[in-house]
Amino acid sequence: MEQLLASCFGGLFKLPVRRCAFSAKLVHGLMTRQVVTKKRYEMWPVFGGNPMRFSLAEFGTVTGLPCGEFEEGYVVDDMARVKKTDFVFWDRLFCGRRDVTIADVTAMVASGKEMPPSRKLKLCLLIIVDGVLLATTQNPKPTVKHVKRLESLKKFLGFPWGREAFWWTISGMLPPQRVLGKCDDPEGGFCKKLRQESKILPGFPLALQLWAFEAIPLLVKRLSGDEGETILTFSGVKLPQHSGLPLSGVLEAEHDPQVRFGSAFFLKVQPMAERGADEEEGWGEFDCEINDKKVAYVIELLNSGHVFRKEEWGGGDAAEPKYEHDSSGRTRKRKGRGFQSKEAEGPALKQRRLSRYFTRVGSGREDMLGAVEAKVENLMELVAKLKRIVVKQGRQLRRRKVAGSGRHSSRETEPKKLFSDSEGELTDNKTDGGDDVVGWDTSLGDDPSEAIMMDKGLGKMKESDVVYYGCGSNTFFVSEDEDFGELNKLVGVITRAAEEQEEKVASAGDDTSSEESENEKDADENKVLDVSDSSPCKTTEKHKPVEKEEELAALLLTKEAFSLANIVPVAEDSDYQFFESVLIASPKVLHLNAGKYDLDNLFFFGFGDSGKMGINEEFAKHMEALVDYVGGRHEVALKARRCLFLPPWFAGHLQGKTRAFNAAKCNKGRVLCDGRLSGFLTKEGKKWGEDVDTLYSPMIWGGNHWVGLCISLTDWRVLVLDPNPALREMSEVWELMETVSKMLPYLVEKVCTPPKDKAYNLEAFAIERMGGTYENKRSGDCGPVSIKFMELHALGNPHPRMDGLTDALVDIMRKQFAMDLYKDWVVPLYMGGSQP
């Protein structure tokens, strides 16, 4: 404690307790009474007509903090990215914890009975700096640059903390600078903030209150408590929540009759603090301060002994009514009367109605009536808008056709009519989701309010309050328990009565002969159902390979199987031109369930055509299919090496949760706990930490550049396999990967079994980028090259290695990808083979 009191912060412990109880009314009043100047580091409030300055000199006088010059090149609000090396001392001081608050540091000091004195002193200094002097939020946290400076106590205690604390304090007490297009009216915006119920003041705003007590002696006389009781000698647990100086006390000090001479006030206010003779050069001054001639003129008048009056200060914000102080108008509390006998009390009063104690103000009724009428008009507009939406969706629902029960169904059925074309006929059917729908009975008229509901199975018409209206993107659900009155009539009624239609279809199917069923079954095998949202279903013939396609399939089947020696082919396949010509002849032929995908012949051109794949979202399917194919081709080798290929949506899924993850204050792991991700991470045979230790996943940056990621769960590291590292600096890579590296520890904690000796920490994964590899500077090759990097890296980087690739080899590799995919995924569909 002696070392702390002897430091530059010792003056804070000598402050009187009664002056340190924060008075928000006093600080707010001084801020609202300030004169608008050009100064950026000075505030000039006016009290009782007397101007007083609050600058760095006054701040240093009342706090005793060092207010000298900053070191060369120091920036207060430094927005530079924090480096990994900046956390070296942080991890030693906080035992590896990154998400630490000042409240946590205080608890550590209070409970650390066996903590070394040197460490406890450093934590106490950090609490004073980041928790008292430089707090910017209600729940402050340690600052990385302050913790780094704390590594050397001499350097920390020699820093001008008073200058930095004043910089943050004054930034919240002055109007901001004018910026065209962003802040055109800084004074007006500042006044608007002052009218709010609350306003955040960063830094150490208590210094303004301390200077007010120093400059205005009459305020100190109205304080309660003992001036000799300081922060150091205070025996309480917490400081008082208010200073004991109410607003009335401040106003009475401003209008104290003891300082009135005739018709004028001569309130004693110390306008400025003078710099001491022992202060160093530049103390209490800012080199970048703006020179204001009007402020210089005020200082000149003060030095000449001029006595200011309230009438000399014009202007101001007239949005609030002018306050006229009248201390005589206050009513004092009456003392309670003693006990009186019943005879002295007089006759008992009769009980009166409660409503008689309240009077109605006639002028307010007109305002209330106008407000009610405005709300009614607003509701009528909303109801009219809702009516238009319902009528529009009713028309859409009339045109809708129910088109089968499944996407890949091969059964050919006649399209069912949801609504009859003839008026007066009520038809019904089932929607795709299984809900029964009944159309409008147009014989009732055009007004939807006349619509009624068909009783299910009885053929009767009855009234109902149930509304199930779901069409398009706008859906309304009204429960039976809710009574919406006229709203039910407006929306109309759509009910459930489609079972009869299904029974008719089922009975019609039972009457067909077995011979016709067999014929239909044979015919259906060669048909594919084409589902459309706007037209009836139609069937198309299943694709039958032509002679050229059969010849191509036979040619591909005769080729040698894949081997690790040909992982990067050095020569183009001699049959590629024939392969390309066959696909061009029928580019739109669709191959269903080819490797679990529906691929047309145009899909394979994306691999062979350099400069296209990976640029458009249209080609994202190529990346997904290619990762699937490469992972399946090396499944045995990857399993032996405890590696796993992840689809592109994994990294994209994490990128999509960036905003929610960063916004979460605590329990960030809940942001990542969704069904799709949880099911994916716990697949049998692919469990993290048990079956696999290294993960490979492609990731897209900025929507136009693919890279490969090698995520090592054992090394706690992410290695970026970048096809074109010259495209981005390493600082940009850290920025792009920052959130993903912070999410991975939460995923590991969720799905991996923790080590026996300790639990997983939530420290972010280290980010590195592999160097010395082939650089692909052409546009459109980053997708297949990044997957080839992943493939080579996972298999031990065999020949020709990642640094042995060339542009020519990449062209050959892309074409070979197309032929291999067609051979292993498409040919088995028609030749009776099995897909790998």
Side-chain angles (χ1 to χ4, degrees), residues 206-270:
L206 180 64
L208 178 59
Q209 174 180 312
L210 296 175
W211 171 242
F213 290 147
E214 187 74 22
I216 310 171
L218 281 178
L219 293 179
V220 182
K221 292 182 179 180
R222 285 170 168 76
L223 289 176
S224 59
D226 183 12
E227 186 74 11
E229 187 178 23
T230 63
I231 298 292
L232 185 62
T233 61
F234 182 62
S235 58
V237 180
K238 294 183 179 179
L239 291 176
Q241 294 184 354
H242 56 84
S243 62
L245 184 67
L247 180 60
S248 58
V250 178
L251 297 176
E252 288 175 0
E254 189 176 11
H255 300 83
D256 195 322
Q258 296 182 5
V259 296
R260 180 191 293 270
F261 295 92
S263 60
F265 284 101
F266 295 95
L267 181 63
K268 182 180 179 181
V269 176
Q270 181 181 350

Side-chain angles (χ1 to χ4, degrees), residues 328-339:
S328 61
R330 296 191 306 161
T331 58
R332 297 183 178 179
K333 295 183 179 179
R334 296 182 179 180
K335 294 183 179 180
R337 294 186 300 172
F339 177 79

Side-chain angles (χ1 to χ4, degrees), residues 614-617 655 699-706 728 736 782:
I615 297 178
N616 254 313
E617 293 181 2
Q655 288 175 298
M699 181 180 183
I700 191 168
W701 288 349
N704 57 7
H705 182 63
W706 287 97
R728 284 178 171 84
L736 290 168
C782 56

Side-chain angles (χ1 to χ4, degrees), residues 564-584:
L564 195 60
N566 296 324
I567 191 170
V568 179
V570 295
E572 180 180 326
D573 195 304
S574 58
D575 298 318
Y576 180 78
Q577 297 299 328
F578 176 67
F579 168 78
E580 190 176 36
S581 64
V582 173
L583 298 186
I584 292 176

Side-chain angles (χ1 to χ4, degrees), residues 527-769:
K527 295 181 179 179
V528 178
L529 183 63
D530 185 9
V531 180
S532 174
D533 291 336
S534 59
S535 60
C537 299
K538 59 181 180 179
T539 57
T540 57
E541 294 294 330
K542 184 178 179 180
H543 175 66
K544 295 182 180 180
V546 297
E547 183 179 354
K548 290 290 186 181
E549 290 176 324
E550 293 178 354
E551 184 180 347
L552 174 63
L555 183 63
L556 293 176
L557 290 174
T558 59
K559 293 185 178 295
E560 295 181 1
F562 171 80
S563 63
L564 195 60
N566 296 324
I567 191 170
V568 179
V570 295
E572 180 180 326
D573 195 304
S574 58
D575 298 318
Y576 180 78
Q577 297 299 328
F578 176 67
F579 168 78
E580 190 176 36
S581 64
V582 173
L583 298 186
I584 292 176
S586 51
K588 294 185 178 180
V589 170
L590 184 65
H591 309 288
L592 299 180
N593 201 26
K596 300 181 294 186
Y597 300 91
D598 296 339
L599 310 176
D600 57 12
N601 286 342
L602 287 175
F603 172 84
F604 299 94
F605 289 119
F607 290 105
D609 192 356
S610 177
K612 286 187 178 181
M613 180 181 164
I615 297 178
N616 254 313
E617 293 181 2
E618 175 186 353
F619 294 96
K621 191 175 183 180
H622 290 84
M623 294 293 295
E624 188 175 355
L626 197 53
V627 171
D628 237 355
Y629 178 75
V630 173
R633 184 162 68 177
H634 303 291
E635 183 177 5
V636 177
L638 293 177
K639 188 173 183 179
R641 291 175 172 267
R642 297 177 60 84
C643 300
L644 177 65
F645 273 41
L646 303 176
W649 73 261
F650 172 76
H653 189 75
L654 298 184
Q655 288 175 298
K657 291 183 175 291
T658 297
R659 185 174 181 180
F661 182 82
N662 292 333
K665 299 297 182 182
C666 58
N667 201 1
K668 292 178 177 286
R670 294 187 60 185
V671 178
L672 306 175
C673 295
D674 57 87
R676 184 182 185 188
L677 193 58
S678 300
F680 175 77
L681 298 176
T682 55
K683 283 186 178 181
E684 191 65 31
K686 298 181 179 180
K687 293 181 179 180
W688 292 16
E690 295 183 11
D691 304 314
V692 294
D693 296 327
T694 307
L695 312 170
Y696 291 89
S697 174
M699 181 180 183
I700 191 168
W701 288 349
N704 57 7
H705 182 63
W706 287 97
V707 297
L709 303 182
C710 173
I711 305 171
S712 175
L713 304 181
T714 55
D715 298 337
W716 217 254
R717 180 191 66 166
V718 178
L719 180 65
V720 179
L721 307 175
D722 194 346
N724 189 5
L727 195 62
R728 284 178 171 84
E729 298 290 339
M730 195 59 198
S731 58
E732 298 179 71
V733 175
W734 281 331
E735 184 176 354
L736 290 168
M737 296 295 301
E738 179 183 13
T739 305
V740 175
S741 67
K742 293 179 179 179
M743 290 179 179
L744 289 174
Y746 290 92
L747 293 179
V748 173
E749 183 186 40
K750 178 179 176 60
V751 301
C752 295
T753 304
K756 296 181 180 180
D757 53 344
K758 60 179 180 178
Y760 285 113
N761 61 50
L762 299 179
E763 181 182 356
F765 274 52
I767 305 298
E768 299 178 5
R769 181 166 62 181

Side-chain angles (χ1 to χ4, degrees), residues 92-147:
R92 292 207 310 265
L93 187 64
F94 298 120
C95 301
R97 293 182 58 185
R98 293 291 177 88
D99 192 12
V100 181
T101 63
I102 294 297
D104 297 333
V105 179
T106 306
M108 292 168 60
V109 174
S111 61
K113 297 181 180 180
E114 299 180 357
M115 184 183 297
S118 59
R119 184 182 176 215
K120 183 174 290 189
L121 175 63
K122 292 180 179 180
L123 294 178
C124 291
L125 292 174
L126 192 63
I127 294 172
I128 295 174
V129 171
D130 280 330
V132 179
L133 299 178
L134 302 177
T136 57
T137 60
Q138 291 184 349
N139 189 20
K141 296 182 179 181
T143 308
V144 177
K145 66 176 183 179
H146 297 161
V147 175

